[in-house]
Amino acid sequence: MSIPIERWTPTHGEPYRAVPYRPVRMRAEESVGRAAELRERMAERRTVRRFSADPVPDQVVRDAIACAATAPSGAHQQPWTFVLVKDPEARRRIREAAEEEERVSYAGRLGEEWLAALRPLGTDEVKPHLTDAPALIVVFQQRYWLGEDGSRRKHYYVDESVGIAVGMLLSALHLSGLAALVHTPSPMRFLSEVLGRPVNEKAFAVIPVGYPAADCEVPDLVRKSLDQVLVEI
């Protein structure tokens, strides 16, 4: 099914315009069934750090990014850029720079309390997923809109907007049969340099994407139950 494409242009200061919204209401039984299926499928999602080098379908990744780009955002300013990195040399440079920062972090910059929280997850400064996975999605947040003439306009609720988009991206990838993880080396300024991003963009996360390796293992974790996270009033 083809999806109509309309190019976005800034709407700053334009008058409010409305269009009808009449989605077909799902039957209650179907809604309950879909929710249960979605809950079951999402419960299977795990963060993966050991990837197969097998390629993934490009269109699946593009469609997942397109899903992420439907996320709500402050004043509908959509303050995100998704950079899909498949070039092996670029991924090598990203891994090299990330591991350099991580070595400093694990050597003490993180602090013992943070290191203790990470210990059950088995993570360290070595990040093979950055080169083993066939693709990286580097998510940048646009701190402000930058026009071709150099003009600027502030964006609002940028962290919240991009965080929601990343959550939707992870869900779309998982439901499409792919594995991923959110990697946030700190600081991340090197990503703008390696990928040649403009001054209004700040790196938010690096997301390796692929299939789990044949010998993949994940930490033995237990998620909070629904009654531990839900308050009904």
Side-chain angles (χ1 to χ4, degrees), residues 10-30:
T11 56
H12 186 84
E14 291 188 9
Y16 170 72
R17 294 194 300 265
V19 294
Y21 181 62
R22 306 288 187 272
V24 177
R25 179 176 292 190
M26 190 180 298
R27 291 182 298 105
E29 305 81 38
E30 184 181 359

Side-chain angles (χ1 to χ4, degrees), residues 35-52:
E37 180 185 2
L38 180 60
R39 177 178 178 178
E40 184 175 345
R41 291 194 64 190
M42 290 304 297
E44 297 171 349
R45 190 204 62 79
R46 293 300 303 265
T47 291
V48 167
R49 291 181 171 84
R50 299 172 68 176
F51 286 89
S52 165

Side-chain angles (χ1 to χ4, degrees), residues 183-232:
H183 180 55
T184 53
S186 180
M188 293 192 283
R189 287 186 295 271
F190 67 87
L191 290 165
S192 294
E193 298 169 4
V194 171
L195 299 174
R197 302 312 304 158
V199 295
N200 65 320
E201 293 187 359
K202 178 182 177 182
F204 186 82
V206 182
I207 303 177
V209 178
Y211 300 111
D215 60 350
C216 180
E217 294 179 337
V218 295
D220 184 11
L221 301 178
V222 176
R223 290 189 172 102
K224 291 181 178 180
S225 60
L226 183 61
D227 68 288
Q228 289 178 294
V229 300
L230 171 64
V231 176
E232 297 191 59

Side-chain angles (χ1 to χ4, degrees), residues 71-89:
S73 60
H76 190 56
Q77 292 172 327
Q78 305 162 84
W80 43 63
T81 302
F82 303 88
V83 180
L84 179 57
V85 185
K86 296 184 292 182
D87 177 67
E89 176 59 18

